[in-house]
Amino acid sequence: MMEKIFIHRILTLFPNAIARKLLLMLIFILIFWVIYLASKDHTKFSFSLENHITLNQGNIVKKSSHSEAPLCPAVSPKETELRIKDIMEKLDQQIPPRPFTHVNTTTSATHSTATILNPQDTYCRGDQLDILLEVRDHLGHRKQYGGDFLRARMSSPALMAGASGKVTDFNNGTYLVSFTLFWEGQVSLSLLLIHPSEGVSALWRARNQGCDKIIFIGLFANRTSNVFTECGLTLNTNAELCQYMDNRDHEAFYCVRPQHMPCESLTHVTTRTRNISCLSKEEWSLFHRSNIGVEMMKNFTPVEVVPCNKSENIKKNCQIGMKIPFPSGYTLKKMWITAFCKQIKFNETKNINDCLERKLIYLMGDSTLRQWIYYLQKAVKTLKYFDHHGAGIFKTHVLLDVERHILIQWKKHGHPFVTKKLFSVKDENYIPREIDRVAGDKNTAIVITLGQHFRPFPINIFIRRAINIQKAIERLFLRSPETKVILKTENTREIHQNAEMFSDFHGYIQNIIIRDIFVDLNVGIIDAWDMTIAYCTNNAHPPDYVIQNQIAMFLNYIC
């Protein structure tokens, strides 16, 4: 009714027919214009809303229209748990249970046979030499499955030369062992049976059973009183606990709370080994000193390698992001020579200083990276040690060259850290949090190593930390794509040390995990695993000439 009255009044105001038509046309144009503007704004709003939802659901952060970008990719805890579960399931398939009733049914180095395929009187430098290995048990029976932990190496002691060999498991009791003949001369071949497949299976089960073989002890200080209590990554107790939780990354550490002391009074932690094992008596027999690292090629004579005037492939300069083959190189006269890129030599202090000028370098990890600080302090006299006023060898270490604006810092990684010495937790941080604190630019480099201190603990702890580090690096690359990140893999270590907790088999598995998780990141790799096999150091802390070559590889990546 109101609409009719409104229209009648408008027609009364405009008695002329032409005027009425013009007015109606103007009204219709106005109505269509309002509808168009409304629909356009609605479309903008809908697109903005949908785009916002998509960004928050994805793993990669895109720059927001606001001045502040999100701090981290929206990765749900559930997604991380699924990744851990997926990796665990793949590893379980690779390391199936191999129960045994007697050591005689396990792999025997003596009864197994190794045969050179297509043997020759001499070989050319650069050739590949292949060996077929057929494994048998101590009764001489052919084994029908693989899974033995083997280490292949070739060497020429007179040349101070060595290189890893590559082992391919056909999972039927046969293996292909391949050696790339990198240098000329008499070359000796070695294949060690580190652990039989039954021992590997026992170590894998024992590791993931979670027997709490390491005890953490926390020191709480409150004015004049000090109290020690039990701590750990998990604690099975009814006592009141202090929880030190990283809620974002789901990393946790616990201590029994001392009476009349706040949780914040925890200042130091140390560790002890618990007299407990998840291995049976029969399984322990596989880890007696005489059964670890047994030579399987005792009767092999050295092979002769000659030049053959083969032309070498032209290699590109070493740079971050290159795919690393195995073996990645070899040692000759104690110098490491890469097989995949062209190296620049950094033999003189001036060369090193020119490379490091205006650089901020953050070393994050264990004591095998702290060795870099010790070596650089001795090798580059212009780098001066800055006293960080901490206590003990696990405090933050800093080298400075004020004139050239160089800073090199080493900081230990967070729990777990296994040592009988007390270390402060007041400056404690997990590596992902340390990476988050680095602004980054073209003159900033981060080196990360992880593994030795994780070997006694269930593998899911290592996997979680590696995933969290990967996500932190992704966040770093979002805010500073020019920052250089280098991963140093684990070293091999003493071959006869407590195998259940520290066997190189644990390090080997962690090496596989690291390479899998970081495969798509633009990072550099220093293959310390390959290097320490080539040098045959068998020491968690290799000598200075190995450290020198690790650092030289690092300098090639950043300069």
Side-chain angles (χ1 to χ4, degrees), residues 310-328:
K310 277 192 172 184
S311 60
E312 288 191 31
N313 293 329
I314 299 174
K315 294 183 286 189
K316 294 181 179 179
N317 286 346
C318 301
Q319 55 188 311
I320 283 174
M322 285 183 160
K323 299 300 179 186
I324 311 298
F326 188 87
S328 61

PDB file of all heavy atoms in Angstrom, residues 310-328:
ATOM      1  N   LYS A 310      91.858 -41.334 -17.978  1.00  0.00           N
ATOM      2  CA  LYS A 310      90.428 -41.014 -18.073  1.00  0.00           C
ATOM      3  C   LYS A 310      90.212 -39.530 -17.799  1.00  0.00           C
ATOM      4  O   LYS A 310      90.821 -38.962 -16.903  1.00  0.00           O
ATOM      5  CB  LYS A 310      89.634 -41.833 -17.046  1.00  0.00           C
ATOM      6  CG  LYS A 310      89.291 -43.236 -17.513  1.00  0.00           C
ATOM      7  CD  LYS A 310      88.269 -43.845 -16.558  1.00  0.00           C
ATOM      8  CE  LYS A 310      87.755 -45.165 -17.089  1.00  0.00           C
ATOM      9  NZ  LYS A 310      86.687 -45.725 -16.220  1.00  0.00           N
ATOM     10  N   SER A 311      89.336 -38.921 -18.598  1.00  0.00           N
ATOM     11  CA  SER A 311      89.033 -37.503 -18.367  1.00  0.00           C
ATOM     12  C   SER A 311      88.029 -37.380 -17.226  1.00  0.00           C
ATOM     13  O   SER A 311      87.082 -38.169 -17.119  1.00  0.00           O
ATOM     14  CB  SER A 311      88.456 -36.864 -19.630  1.00  0.00           C
ATOM     15  OG  SER A 311      87.267 -37.529 -20.011  1.00  0.00           O
ATOM     16  N   GLU A 312      88.256 -36.389 -16.363  1.00  0.00           N
ATOM     17  CA  GLU A 312      87.357 -36.188 -15.221  1.00  0.00           C
ATOM     18  C   GLU A 312      86.213 -35.256 -15.605  1.00  0.00           C
ATOM     19  O   GLU A 312      86.381 -34.346 -16.416  1.00  0.00           O
ATOM     20  CB  GLU A 312      88.135 -35.574 -14.048  1.00  0.00           C
ATOM     21  CG  GLU A 312      89.094 -36.547 -13.397  1.00  0.00           C
ATOM     22  CD  GLU A 312      89.647 -36.003 -12.089  1.00  0.00           C
ATOM     23  OE1 GLU A 312      88.913 -35.242 -11.410  1.00  0.00           O
ATOM     24  OE2 GLU A 312      90.791 -36.315 -11.754  1.00  0.00           O
ATOM     25  N   ASN A 313      85.055 -35.514 -15.017  1.00  0.00           N
ATOM     26  CA  ASN A 313      83.922 -34.623 -15.232  1.00  0.00           C
ATOM     27  C   ASN A 313      84.198 -33.273 -14.575  1.00  0.00           C
ATOM     28  O   ASN A 313      84.746 -33.203 -13.480  1.00  0.00           O
ATOM     29  CB  ASN A 313      82.648 -35.226 -14.625  1.00  0.00           C
ATOM     30  CG  ASN A 313      82.217 -36.481 -15.357  1.00  0.00           C
ATOM     31  OD1 ASN A 313      82.441 -36.604 -16.555  1.00  0.00           O
ATOM     32  ND2 ASN A 313      81.615 -37.407 -14.642  1.00  0.00           N
ATOM     33  N   ILE A 314      83.815 -32.200 -15.271  1.00  0.00           N
ATOM     34  CA  ILE A 314      83.981 -30.855 -14.705  1.00  0.00           C
ATOM     35  C   ILE A 314      82.909 -30.637 -13.651  1.00  0.00           C
ATOM     36  O   ILE A 314      81.711 -30.772 -13.921  1.00  0.00           O
ATOM     37  CB  ILE A 314      83.893 -29.785 -15.807  1.00  0.00           C
ATOM     38  CG1 ILE A 314      85.009 -30.003 -16.839  1.00  0.00           C
ATOM     39  CG2 ILE A 314      83.969 -28.386 -15.206  1.00  0.00           C
ATOM     40  CD1 ILE A 314      84.918 -29.094 -18.048  1.00  0.00           C
ATOM     41  N   LYS A 315      83.339 -30.330 -12.435  1.00  0.00           N
ATOM     42  CA  LYS A 315      82.399 -30.175 -11.324  1.00  0.00           C
ATOM     43  C   LYS A 315      82.135 -28.698 -11.042  1.00  0.00           C
ATOM     44  O   LYS A 315      83.023 -27.860 -11.184  1.00  0.00           O
ATOM     45  CB  LYS A 315      82.964 -30.857 -10.071  1.00  0.00           C
ATOM     46  CG  LYS A 315      83.079 -32.371 -10.203  1.00  0.00           C
ATOM     47  CD  LYS A 315      83.565 -33.034  -8.927  1.00  0.00           C
ATOM     48  CE  LYS A 315      85.026 -32.810  -8.676  1.00  0.00           C
ATOM     49  NZ  LYS A 315      85.546 -33.618  -7.552  1.00  0.00           N
ATOM     50  N   LYS A 316      80.910 -28.406 -10.632  1.00  0.00           N
ATOM     51  CA  LYS A 316      80.553 -27.052 -10.220  1.00  0.00           C
ATOM     52  C   LYS A 316      81.111 -26.773  -8.834  1.00  0.00           C
ATOM     53  O   LYS A 316      81.355 -27.698  -8.063  1.00  0.00           O
ATOM     54  CB  LYS A 316      79.029 -26.882 -10.199  1.00  0.00           C
ATOM     55  CG  LYS A 316      78.363 -26.981 -11.557  1.00  0.00           C
ATOM     56  CD  LYS A 316      76.858 -26.770 -11.418  1.00  0.00           C
ATOM     57  CE  LYS A 316      76.165 -26.848 -12.769  1.00  0.00           C
ATOM     58  NZ  LYS A 316      74.692 -26.667 -12.630  1.00  0.00           N
ATOM     59  N   ASN A 317      81.293 -25.498  -8.520  1.00  0.00           N
ATOM     60  CA  ASN A 317      81.724 -25.124  -7.172  1.00  0.00           C
ATOM     61  C   ASN A 317      80.699 -25.607  -6.145  1.00  0.00           C
ATOM     62  O   ASN A 317      79.489 -25.643  -6.412  1.00  0.00           O
ATOM     63  CB  ASN A 317      81.885 -23.609  -7.050  1.00  0.00           C
ATOM     64  CG  ASN A 317      83.137 -23.117  -7.757  1.00  0.00           C
ATOM     65  OD1 ASN A 317      84.012 -23.892  -8.126  1.00  0.00           O
ATOM     66  ND2 ASN A 317      83.229 -21.817  -7.962  1.00  0.00           N
ATOM     67  N   CYS A 318      81.175 -25.968  -4.972  1.00  0.00           N
ATOM     68  CA  CYS A 318      80.294 -26.454  -3.914  1.00  0.00           C
ATOM     69  C   CYS A 318      79.323 -25.347  -3.518  1.00  0.00           C
ATOM     70  O   CYS A 318      79.731 -24.196  -3.331  1.00  0.00           O
ATOM     71  CB  CYS A 318      81.102 -26.879  -2.690  1.00  0.00           C
ATOM     72  SG  CYS A 318      82.305 -28.176  -3.040  1.00  0.00           S
ATOM     73  N   GLN A 319      78.058 -25.686  -3.402  1.00  0.00           N
ATOM     74  CA  GLN A 319      77.064 -24.704  -2.981  1.00  0.00           C
ATOM     75  C   GLN A 319      75.907 -25.391  -2.269  1.00  0.00           C
ATOM     76  O   GLN A 319      75.665 -26.584  -2.447  1.00  0.00           O
ATOM     77  CB  GLN A 319      76.554 -23.897  -4.174  1.00  0.00           C
ATOM     78  CG  GLN A 319      75.995 -24.726  -5.312  1.00  0.00           C
ATOM     79  CD  GLN A 319      75.680 -23.885  -6.527  1.00  0.00           C
ATOM     80  OE1 GLN A 319      75.042 -22.859  -6.415  1.00  0.00           O
ATOM     81  NE2 GLN A 319      76.131 -24.313  -7.701  1.00  0.00           N
ATOM     82  N   ILE A 320      75.235 -24.609  -1.466  1.00  0.00           N
ATOM     83  CA  ILE A 320      74.102 -25.122  -0.698  1.00  0.00           C
ATOM     84  C   ILE A 320      73.008 -25.593  -1.641  1.00  0.00           C
ATOM     85  O   ILE A 320      72.755 -24.987  -2.674  1.00  0.00           O
ATOM     86  CB  ILE A 320      73.590 -24.022   0.259  1.00  0.00           C
ATOM     87  CG1 ILE A 320      74.533 -23.909   1.460  1.00  0.00           C
ATOM     88  CG2 ILE A 320      72.163 -24.284   0.721  1.00  0.00           C
ATOM     89  CD1 ILE A 320      74.216 -22.785   2.392  1.00  0.00           C
ATOM     90  N   GLY A 321      72.349 -26.692  -1.258  1.00  0.00           N
ATOM     91  CA  GLY A 321      71.244 -27.229  -2.046  1.00  0.00           C
ATOM     92  C   GLY A 321      71.641 -28.379  -2.944  1.00  0.00           C
ATOM     93  O   GLY A 321      70.778 -29.044  -3.522  1.00  0.00           O
ATOM     94  N   MET A 322      72.959 -28.639  -3.084  1.00  0.00           N
ATOM     95  CA  MET A 322      73.404 -29.747  -3.923  1.00  0.00           C
ATOM     96  C   MET A 322      73.004 -31.089  -3.306  1.00  0.00           C
ATOM     97  O   MET A 322      73.029 -31.257  -2.089  1.00  0.00           O
ATOM     98  CB  MET A 322      74.926 -29.716  -4.095  1.00  0.00           C
ATOM     99  CG  MET A 322      75.426 -28.652  -5.044  1.00  0.00           C
ATOM    100  SD  MET A 322      77.231 -28.735  -5.245  1.00  0.00           S
ATOM    101  CE  MET A 322      77.430 -27.859  -6.793  1.00  0.00           C
ATOM    102  N   LYS A 323      72.615 -32.038  -4.153  1.00  0.00           N
ATOM    103  CA  LYS A 323      72.308 -33.386  -3.689  1.00  0.00           C
ATOM    104  C   LYS A 323      73.617 -34.120  -3.398  1.00  0.00           C
ATOM    105  O   LYS A 323      74.542 -34.093  -4.210  1.00  0.00           O
ATOM    106  CB  LYS A 323      71.492 -34.152  -4.734  1.00  0.00           C
ATOM    107  CG  LYS A 323      70.141 -33.505  -5.054  1.00  0.00           C
ATOM    108  CD  LYS A 323      69.257 -33.417  -3.817  1.00  0.00           C
ATOM    109  CE  LYS A 323      67.921 -32.758  -4.129  1.00  0.00           C
ATOM    110  NZ  LYS A 323      67.105 -32.544  -2.915  1.00  0.00           N
ATOM    111  N   ILE A 324      73.674 -34.765  -2.245  1.00  0.00           N
ATOM    112  CA  ILE A 324      74.915 -35.396  -1.790  1.00  0.00           C
ATOM    113  C   ILE A 324      74.861 -36.900  -2.068  1.00  0.00           C
ATOM    114  O   ILE A 324      73.996 -37.604  -1.536  1.00  0.00           O
ATOM    115  CB  ILE A 324      75.136 -35.152  -0.286  1.00  0.00           C
ATOM    116  CG1 ILE A 324      74.955 -33.673   0.061  1.00  0.00           C
ATOM    117  CG2 ILE A 324      76.521 -35.646   0.137  1.00  0.00           C
ATOM    118  CD1 ILE A 324      75.914 -32.753  -0.609  1.00  0.00           C
ATOM    119  N   PRO A 325      75.776 -37.414  -2.901  1.00  0.00           N
ATOM    120  CA  PRO A 325      75.793 -38.861  -3.146  1.00  0.00           C
ATOM    121  C   PRO A 325      76.470 -39.591  -1.991  1.00  0.00           C
ATOM    122  O   PRO A 325      76.993 -38.972  -1.062  1.00  0.00           O
ATOM    123  CB  PRO A 325      76.623 -38.979  -4.426  1.00  0.00           C
ATOM    124  CG  PRO A 325      77.596 -37.826  -4.323  1.00  0.00           C
ATOM    125  CD  PRO A 325      76.843 -36.709  -3.633  1.00  0.00           C
ATOM    126  N   PHE A 326      76.433 -40.923  -2.031  1.00  0.00           N
ATOM    127  CA  PHE A 326      77.207 -41.709  -1.067  1.00  0.00           C
ATOM    128  C   PHE A 326      78.001 -42.753  -1.837  1.00  0.00           C
ATOM    129  O   PHE A 326      77.421 -43.502  -2.603  1.00  0.00           O
ATOM    130  CB  PHE A 326      76.299 -42.398  -0.045  1.00  0.00           C
ATOM    131  CG  PHE A 326      77.079 -43.047   1.075  1.00  0.00           C
ATOM    132  CD1 PHE A 326      77.435 -42.323   2.199  1.00  0.00           C
ATOM    133  CD2 PHE A 326      77.482 -44.375   0.982  1.00  0.00           C
ATOM    134  CE1 PHE A 326      78.165 -42.905   3.223  1.00  0.00           C
ATOM    135  CE2 PHE A 326      78.222 -44.967   1.996  1.00  0.00           C
ATOM    136  CZ  PHE A 326      78.552 -44.221   3.119  1.00  0.00           C
ATOM    137  N   PRO A 327      79.325 -42.781  -1.673  1.00  0.00           N
ATOM    138  CA  PRO A 327      80.113 -41.870  -0.833  1.00  0.00           C
ATOM    139  C   PRO A 327      80.182 -40.467  -1.428  1.00  0.00           C
ATOM    140  O   PRO A 327      80.126 -40.297  -2.641  1.00  0.00           O
ATOM    141  CB  PRO A 327      81.487 -42.533  -0.806  1.00  0.00           C
ATOM    142  CG  PRO A 327      81.550 -43.336  -2.067  1.00  0.00           C
ATOM    143  CD  PRO A 327      80.164 -43.806  -2.340  1.00  0.00           C
ATOM    144  N   SER A 328      80.319 -39.486  -0.523  1.00  0.00           N
ATOM    145  CA  SER A 328      80.328 -38.083  -0.955  1.00  0.00           C
ATOM    146  C   SER A 328      81.733 -37.589  -1.259  1.00  0.00           C
ATOM    147  O   SER A 328      81.903 -36.458  -1.725  1.00  0.00           O
ATOM    148  CB  SER A 328      79.702 -37.203   0.123  1.00  0.00           C
ATOM    149  OG  SER A 328      80.435 -37.290   1.332  1.00  0.00           O
TER     150      SER A 328
END
